[in-house]
Each structure stands twice: as C-alpha cells, then as structure tokens.
Amino acid sequence: MNERYEPSRRGVIRGSAAVGGGIATAALLAACGSDAQQPTGDSVDGAGVVGAIALAKVPVGGGAIIAETETVITQPAAGEYFGFSSICTHQGCPISKVTAEHIICPCHSSHYDTRTGEPVAGPADQPLTPRTITVTETEVEYS
C-alpha cells in the first residue's frame, strides 16, 4: 500500500485549466460588484446627477439615446425636454430611435410617447421609467 500517485501530463493540464478558469471567473464576479460598472464619462455627484448631454446633441423633433446610462432625452418641440429609461418595458431591449412623436424599440416595435413615456403602439403595456432632468443654459442633466 505504499504506492505513490503520479499524475499524468493530461491530468495536470486539465487541473491547471480548471484552476485558471476558476480564478478568471472569480475576478469577473468581483468586477461585477465593483464601481467599474459606473458609466464612463458621467459622474454621480451629491445631487444625484448621473450624466449630462449638450443641448445641441438633442435635436428638435427627436432625441438622444445615451447607451452607457440607458437614458433617452427627447425634445419633441423646441425647448421641451423629457428624460426616460431607454430600455423597453416589454422585454428589456434598448430603444433604437426617437422621432418627434415616438420613442421606438426595434425588437417588437413598441412605440412610446416622447412627452410621457406611455406606450402608444406595440406589445409594451408599461411606460418607460422617467428620469429626473434639469435643463441649464448649455445641457440637460439627468438622474
């Protein structure tokens, strides 16, 4: 019973791969819980502002989609700004287009009102989550 176990080369490689995969998975999971998920280019200040976009980037009769913060800012008429989540309430797809009247999801063609975020067409039956916005002389801040 004094036999000694000698692992095969294949067994060592498999074991090393399993350990390496476990370490990579642990690192990924650790990153998921860190501040690394904060949107780049935008900061959270004491007032709860998540980001800002220049007024010039929000066209009249349309809007701007900020993918990093899952936000859409609309300007259906000159000087009228509204902010919403850019994630469709039907199945969680990101919206893809903003017109003067509708925020449009490409997945199943849900359309939302650009002023209220209420669904007006398609399978969505819940409104987009509103974002708090503040319009300054040069930008729209949102949270």
Side-chain angles (χ1 to χ4, degrees), residues 44-122:
V44 178
D45 67 15
V49 173
V50 171
I53 186 167
L55 293 178
K57 291 187 176 185
V58 185
V60 176
I65 300 165
I66 305 109
E68 297 83 19
T69 56
E70 298 180 343
T71 301
V72 58
I73 304 295
T74 65
Q75 186 179 193
E80 281 189 342
Y81 295 92
F82 302 91
F84 306 98
S85 165
S86 64
I87 302 301
C88 180
T89 59
H90 175 238
Q91 287 190 340
C93 293
I95 59 104
S96 65
K97 185 176 178 182
V98 182
T99 67
E101 297 177 359
H102 296 143
I103 299 167
I104 303 167
C105 175
C107 293
H108 301 103
S109 200
S110 288
H111 290 187
Y112 299 88
D113 184 277
T114 56
R115 288 178 169 87
T116 65
E118 291 289 328
V120 295

